[in-house]
Amino acid sequence: MLDVTEEMDSPTFKSDTVLSDVHLHCPNKRHLMVRLNAVGQPVFLSYFKLLWNTEDSSSEKRVREATTERELQYQSGDELCDKDRNNLKKERELLNNEGVEALLDEDGDLEVVRRPQSASDLEAEDLLRDRVYPVILMKGKEDAFEDEEECTSSDVVKIEHTMATPLEDVGKQVWRAAFLLADYILFKRDTFRCCSVLELGGGTGITSIIMGTVAKRVYCTDVGEDLLAMCEQNVTLNKHLMEPGRGEVKVKELDWLKDEFCTDPEAPYSWSEEEIADLHDHCTVIIAADVFYDDDLTDALFRTLYRITHNLRNSCTVYLALEKRLNFTLRHMDVTCEAYSHFRNTLNDLESLQDRKIKYVVEPIKLDFCQFLVYERMEQLE
């Protein structure tokens, strides 16, 4: 929703809802609404199918050939009763008739099923007119799709996420840069094998889960009990992916606006002293995806990054993935990307920092590696 107000001849634009890239990229796919979260937001379960070449995972050529032979599919699971299954069958029959519009338009808005222009009045009487409601599963119910073979295969990632949230809850959605970073992890999995990894702003946990298929241990961190509970649920849903490599993903709270780890044993997702010591002693990789959209949070993240890297025993590589989001601003009267500009300036400050203990070197990564997930690779992705 976009609200435009005018005060003192100066228009102000306010956005109270943000749509995820998953929703924008695949508006016509069927999603399963599994529950409402603690703040009443619909939570959806989506399936993301990976290309996983088990015969020769180290061969870039074979992966590229397989990519051209098979289209990677974005899937959502659904468990239907007989009535719902019959309704869905009728819907599909309708969609095959000339003149019937899709259930969702290009922007993802609900479209009412209309009578086909070629249908006679007699045929029209049999057309589906029932209202369609999402199938809702109760929170805490066991995996409703375990009978489906594809759901427990090694090439399907199941993620609970929202599709539209207020700005402060965007971590509950899935974004393109998370896919980009996941692609890079899969492409360079030998680089991350058996590593100890920290993710900052893990959100739904999809990137940490992919990392958990190759790394020894991943600390997936964010802030907010509801978000962390969703992330932990996603880790549980995908344990079968991490079991072959004995990888482990631990969901923890890490607030960039605080100088210390949360160690209160009464607080959910707090750190133990042993876990903090393990992070400092063994972490060699830090990752973050699509967390640079607010200048204050960007500053806080870099302060946290500086503090943590200073306490690590070993040298560390930090992988940052983001999408430059272009907006028209009245201040510049032009299309700009102020959040990205602030990120670049802060990154340059970190690289030029005079510190006798540690030196930061920034290197861009070319985006010519394989794509294992379905999303739109845009020029704005880095």
Side-chain angles (χ1 to χ4, degrees):
M1 298 292 293
L2 189 65
D3 176 43
V4 183
T5 60
E6 202 166 316
E7 181 179 359
M8 300 295 290
D9 297 327
S10 176
T12 302
F13 296 87
K14 296 180 180 179
S15 176
D16 59 6
T17 302
V18 182
L19 295 178
S20 71
D21 283 348
V22 168
H23 185 59
L24 296 175
H25 182 58
C26 301
N28 295 322
K29 298 297 182 181
R30 181 181 175 88
H31 303 281
L32 175 70
M33 175 178 162
V34 293
R35 61 183 172 88
L36 298 178
N37 62 20
V39 294
Q41 297 163 342
V43 176
F44 295 83
L45 178 65
S46 294
Y47 286 14
F48 302 95
K49 193 166 187 177
L50 303 172
L51 175 64
W52 195 272
N53 192 333
T54 55
E55 293 181 6
D56 187 5
S57 60
S58 64
S59 173
E60 175 184 349
K61 180 179 179 181
R62 296 191 61 178
V63 170
R64 289 186 183 276
E65 290 175 349
T67 303
T68 60
E69 294 173 358
R70 181 169 64 158
E71 178 184 3
L72 301 179
Q73 299 177 353
Y74 171 107
Q75 300 179 343
S76 291
D78 47 324
E79 180 181 71
L80 305 174
C81 63
D82 291 339
K83 179 180 178 181
D84 291 331
R85 190 174 291 107
N86 290 334
N87 287 346
L88 181 58
K89 181 179 179 182
K90 291 181 180 180
E91 291 174 16
R92 287 171 177 168
E93 290 174 352
L94 283 176
L95 293 176
N96 289 331
N97 289 329
E98 181 181 359
V100 177
E101 298 187 23
L103 295 178
L104 296 176
D105 65 15
E106 293 181 355
D107 296 326
D109 299 322
L110 182 64
E111 281 283 353
V112 178
V113 177
R114 294 175 172 81
R115 179 172 60 183
Q117 296 176 355
S118 60
S120 67
D121 292 339
L122 182 62
E123 293 171 334
E125 292 180 359
D126 296 327
L127 295 180
L128 179 66
R129 294 293 181 178
D130 295 339
R131 294 182 178 180
V132 179
Y133 297 97
V135 180
I136 303 178
L137 305 179
M138 296 302 295
K139 180 179 180 181
K141 184 177 179 180
E142 295 298 323
D143 187 359
F145 313 108
E146 57 186 9
D147 293 337
E148 298 183 18
E149 182 179 352
E150 67 174 1
C151 302
T152 55
S153 68
S154 61
D155 62 352
V156 173
V157 182
K158 294 178 287 187
I159 296 294
E160 286 192 4
H161 62 96
T162 58
M163 290 189 181
T165 63
L167 184 61
E168 60 269 20
D169 283 338
V170 292
K172 297 175 182 176
Q173 303 186 43
V174 185
W175 302 97
R176 270 185 284 252
F179 288 137
L180 181 70
L181 188 51
D183 275 346
Y184 186 75
I185 293 167
L186 292 172
F187 182 68
K188 290 285 190 179
R189 43 189 172 270
D190 288 342
T191 301
F192 302 107
R193 201 172 302 280
C194 299
C195 287
S196 183
V197 181
L198 169 67
E199 180 172 14
L200 300 174
T204 62
I206 184 170
T207 309
S208 282
I209 290 167
I210 295 298
M211 179 65 84
T213 64
V214 292
K216 177 181 179 181
R217 182 173 293 112
V218 182
Y219 291 100
C220 181
T221 68
D222 216 308
V223 65
E225 185 174 344
D226 195 50
L227 172 58
L228 292 171
M230 175 188 286
C231 182
E232 188 171 54
Q233 168 71 359
N234 287 332
V235 171
T236 301
L237 287 173
N238 294 281
K239 277 191 173 180
H240 64 283
L241 296 177
M242 296 170 274
E243 287 175 350
R246 298 183 180 181
E248 178 184 25
V249 177
K250 291 190 172 186
V251 178
K252 297 293 176 182
E253 176 184 327
L254 184 56
D255 191 339
W256 306 338
L257 300 177
K258 297 179 181 179
D259 294 332
E260 301 294 336
F261 293 94
C262 176
T263 56
D264 181 1
E266 301 296 324
Y269 309 106
S270 63
W271 296 72
S272 68
E273 295 297 337
E274 291 77 14
E275 288 169 335
I276 296 175
D278 175 67
L279 177 71
H280 289 159
D281 289 344
H282 301 106
C283 179
T284 56
V285 174
I286 298 177
I287 59 176
D290 249 334
V291 294
F292 305 103
Y293 56 90
D294 177 88
D295 291 355
D296 292 336
L297 288 179
T298 295
D299 293 340
L301 182 142
F302 274 100
R303 287 195 298 269
T304 299
L305 193 61
Y306 178 82
R307 173 173 56 85
I308 291 176
T309 51
H310 261 247
N311 288 307
L312 297 181
R313 173 174 294 184
N314 303 302
S315 60
C316 179
T317 304
V318 182
Y319 296 90
L320 305 176
L322 72 155
E323 179 182 340
K324 296 179 286 186
R325 290 181 169 82
L326 305 175
N327 297 285
F328 179 86
T329 62
L330 294 173
R331 181 169 59 179
H332 299 285
M333 292 303 294
D334 196 1
V335 176
T336 63
C337 189
E338 293 185 312
Y340 176 75
S341 298
H342 184 78
F343 158 76
R344 291 295 310 187
N345 291 335
T346 309
L347 189 63
N348 292 337
D349 292 341
L350 185 67
E351 187 177 22
S352 59
L353 184 67
Q354 299 295 325
D355 191 318
R356 295 181 179 179
K357 182 179 179 181
I358 192 169
K359 179 178 176 59
Y360 298 91
V361 178
V362 178
E363 295 180 1
I365 295 176
K366 292 183 179 180
L367 305 187
D368 57 354
F369 47 88
C370 296
Q371 186 166 341
F372 294 84
L373 288 154
V374 173
Y375 62 100
E376 184 182 2
R377 279 208 184 164
M378 308 172 63
E379 294 180 359
Q380 290 79 19
L381 283 172
E382 289 191 3

